[in-house]
Amino acid sequence: MREPVELRRKRILAVVHARGAVKVSSLATELDVSAVTLRRDVEELARTGMLRRGHGVVRPVADDVPARAVPAARSGDTAGDGAAIALVVPERHSYLYETLHGARTALEEAGARITLHIAPQAAGAERPQVERALAAGARGLLISPRWRSAAGEEADYGWLSEVEVPTVIMERRPWPGSALHALDSVCSDHWYGIHLAVDHLISLGHRRLVLAARNDSPTARAIRSAFSEIAASRPEVEDWTVVLSSPNAGPGEPGTREPVPDLTALLRERGVTGAVLHGDEDALMLVQRLAESGIRVPRDCSVVAYDDVVAALGSTALTAVAPPRAEIGRAAAELLLDRLAHPAGTQGPVRRVELLPRLEVRGSTQELIRSAD
């Protein structure tokens, strides 16, 4: 199934706003689209004033704003020594690029120099990027590891806990009691996000629910765990289940394969009238598949997406849980700047910050229409 134009352009904007300036050729490769298609999209986005282009490079419109003056360094601050703050994020991850954009904005406002490191889609890819940044003299680290599986996440705990510069983890929550438990982190409260979704569906009269979710990130695993806990605890829910949202939504590692059921058949078999779908791209494609099979959204099944990166762009705009992605990045950057502004030993306790998602109600949910007996 071809990617919708609006979704592709949303991904282009996410990358450009996160990175600041990107070669058009590199952008085409990174987003896995043809150079011709990419140039056409860039021309249209530039025509509508959403970005700037020139001589093979595309930039965010905000880059037209003159750079802010670098503030004077405070006692113990190293902002004036030219050492950079390293940002490490996975490649091709539009959700985290919005988090990165929030962090970048806060750091630039503070006059900090930034180096961006993109980790390839491979297990353990973040470590070489961090080591490279530290060897170049980075004085602080903001990182959002991909962590496709729980085992891959645990494998990174040891070395990441021993990084010798102030470090803040963005949109990731290390396991309680792990080596990273005592490391600063800023994350969305995904339990609350799922609570919003389930509570919304229940309030509309839906009693038989399904979560079709990814299983290839800490966010995905948190969502699955929260849904199981919340659905099981709500007496109104008569039946619920958790399934994989698409064939490529699992970790893809030995021993982690999950079956991908036919969602249309599952909804009919179990009488499901309310679905939570993670993430947005899978949600849009699943809704299209339901329509092709004669299941109308929201008349036959109400749908809540989780992520809200592109949920509003569907032919039926999807009600969605919206984690505060940019605010997560800004809060993480401000926490790191605070650490860097004070001498070691005077920085106060470790902080594990959680920000609450919100629910954006759109056209894909409605009150359950009960058939007459």
Side-chain angles (χ1 to χ4, degrees):
M1 189 174 294
R2 295 182 62 185
E3 180 181 40
V5 173
E6 295 88 351
L7 175 56
R8 186 175 63 245
R9 290 177 180 172
K10 181 82 172 181
R11 290 202 296 143
I12 291 170
L13 289 172
V15 174
V16 173
H17 282 293
R19 304 266 287 276
V22 189
K23 289 183 178 180
V24 173
S25 57
S26 300
L27 191 58
T29 300
E30 184 168 335
L31 298 181
D32 195 23
V33 299
S34 71
V36 172
T37 298
L38 195 284
R39 282 195 295 270
R40 187 184 304 121
D41 287 339
V42 166
E43 288 173 2
E44 179 60 22
L45 290 169
R47 185 188 67 79
T48 56
M50 301 182 74
L51 52 73
R52 298 170 55 230
R53 65 183 179 90
H55 303 295
V57 176
V58 59
R59 296 182 175 85
V61 175
D63 279 3
D64 284 334
V65 179
R68 297 172 185 261
V70 178
R74 292 175 286 177
S75 176
D77 195 1
T78 57
D81 65 4
I85 290 174
L87 286 80
V88 179
V89 296
E91 68 172 333
R92 300 184 185 181
H93 204 306
S94 58
Y95 180 101
L96 288 178
Y97 280 152
E98 293 195 34
T99 301
L100 171 60
H101 180 55
R104 175 194 171 207
T105 301
L107 293 172
E108 289 182 341
E109 288 174 353
R113 191 165 70 86
I114 306 164
T115 60
L116 179 62
H117 301 263
I118 307 296
Q121 299 186 49
E126 285 80 13
R127 185 171 186 174
Q129 301 296 329
V130 171
E131 291 175 345
R132 188 172 296 114
L134 296 177
R139 64 192 180 97
L141 173 65
L142 288 173
I143 183 170
S144 291
R146 184 179 295 274
W147 285 344
R148 293 199 66 192
S149 68
E153 177 178 344
E154 187 174 13
D156 282 346
Y157 280 9
W159 69 264
L160 191 50
S161 67
E162 297 174 355
V163 172
E164 295 182 351
V165 299
T167 299
V168 179
I169 301 177
M170 299 186 297
E171 197 58 307
R172 299 290 183 251
R173 175 67 74 233
W175 300 340
S178 69
L180 292 186
H181 191 124
L183 197 67
D184 288 322
S185 61
V186 181
C187 185
S188 299
D189 184 343
H190 295 299
W191 187 96
Y192 183 74
I194 289 296
H195 160 74
L196 290 176
V198 172
D199 195 63
H200 177 62
L201 291 171
I202 289 175
S203 74
L204 296 173
H206 299 282
R207 300 293 183 261
R208 306 181 74 83
L209 310 179
V210 64
L211 170 70
R214 304 191 67 84
N215 193 21
D216 58 356
S217 73
T219 295
R221 293 187 288 276
I223 287 169
R224 293 161 72 94
S225 175
F227 183 87
S228 298
E229 176 187 339
I230 293 168
S233 69
R234 293 294 297 261
E236 304 97 326
V237 177
E238 299 172 1
D239 182 75
W240 61 272
T241 189
V242 177
V243 298
L244 200 64
S245 58
S246 71
N248 65 349
E253 297 179 3
T256 62
R257 298 289 183 182
E258 295 181 59
V260 183
D262 180 339
L263 189 62
T264 302
L266 179 70
L267 264 57
R268 288 178 170 145
E269 175 186 333
R270 303 185 72 137
V272 170
T273 63
V276 182
L277 307 180
H278 171 246
D280 281 3
E281 294 182 35
D282 287 341
L284 290 169
M285 297 180 75
L286 285 169
V287 168
Q288 291 174 19
R289 203 168 300 139
L290 292 177
E292 292 165 0
S293 301
I295 294 179
R296 297 161 296 179
V297 174
R299 180 176 176 84
D300 300 323
C301 182
S302 284
V303 169
V304 180
Y306 199 104
D307 275 355
D308 203 32
V309 177
V310 292
L313 301 179
S315 55
T316 298
L318 302 184
T319 293
V321 176
R325 297 175 297 277
E327 291 84 354
I328 291 289
R330 174 175 284 278
E334 290 173 349
L335 176 51
L336 181 60
L337 289 169
D338 185 64
R339 291 290 186 205
L340 293 169
H342 297 87
T346 67
Q347 300 166 327
V350 170
R351 281 166 278 185
R352 291 165 59 87
V353 180
E354 285 191 330
L355 303 184
L356 299 186
R358 67 184 185 278
L359 183 70
E360 296 288 350
V361 179
R362 303 190 180 101
S364 65
T365 54
Q366 70 173 34
E367 188 171 356
L368 177 63
I369 301 174
R370 299 185 182 277
S371 58
D373 293 332

